[in-house]
Amino acid sequence: MVIAMESAQQNSALINEMLFKLERNHTEIQTLLGKLNSYTCEPTNYECFERLRDLRDDIEALKKRHLELFRTIDVKQLDKQEELVEKMRDQIASFKELDGKIGAYVIDTNGY
């Protein structure tokens, strides 16, 4: 019984930590979108235009998944914590991948 409570507390702490990361990532998504909409990131050729469109689509999809995940988070549902942790990990990984793509795009269009 004590071990189960400790495990539940650890899961709860992990979920809270990941929730904090997701909230921070959600704020960063808004910043990245602002950067992409800036004149310094205007596409210089058709390939860049397509990449920019894809990045904006990816950002919108990620924002939507973030909001859906925020709505479903309920730490009190102990039986679904492992599934919730996995979804949160996937979201964090998706954000990191998108952040890398945006960084590469900014470098390609600005040259710095």
Side-chain angles (χ1 to χ4, degrees):
M1 180 77 166
V2 173
I3 294 173
M5 288 186 82
E6 288 178 7
S7 177
Q9 288 174 343
Q10 288 174 342
N11 279 346
S12 180
L14 178 61
I15 288 172
N16 286 335
E17 178 184 331
M18 294 179 89
L19 181 59
F20 177 74
K21 286 181 182 179
L22 283 173
E23 289 171 346
R24 190 176 60 220
N25 288 351
H26 190 70
T27 303
E28 185 66 21
I29 287 171
Q30 301 297 70
T31 303
L32 291 172
L33 188 57
K35 183 182 284 189
L36 285 178
N37 289 331
S38 132
Y39 73 92
T40 60
C41 290
E42 288 183 7
T44 55
N45 57 39
Y46 187 71
E47 179 186 351
C48 287
F49 176 77
E50 287 181 329
R51 285 176 62 193
L52 180 61
R53 184 191 63 216
D54 291 343
L55 289 171
R56 286 180 177 155
D57 290 345
D58 290 349
I59 286 173
E60 289 303 317
L62 188 64
K63 281 174 41 177
K64 184 177 178 180
R65 288 194 315 265
H66 264 74
L67 294 175
E68 288 173 3
L69 188 57
F70 288 143
R71 276 187 236 121
T72 61
I73 291 175
D74 184 3
V75 179
K76 293 179 178 89
Q77 293 180 342
L78 298 176
D79 57 329
K80 295 186 179 184
Q81 281 190 349
E82 289 179 19
E83 181 182 336
L84 182 60
V85 167
E86 190 61 34
K87 285 181 180 181
M88 293 171 95
R89 282 188 178 133
D90 289 345
Q91 279 299 105
I92 291 169
S94 294
F95 171 78
K96 288 179 181 178
E97 181 181 340
L98 181 59
D99 187 38
K101 288 179 182 179
I102 291 172
Y105 174 82
V106 169
I107 289 171
D108 288 347
T109 57
N110 291 327
Y112 58 88

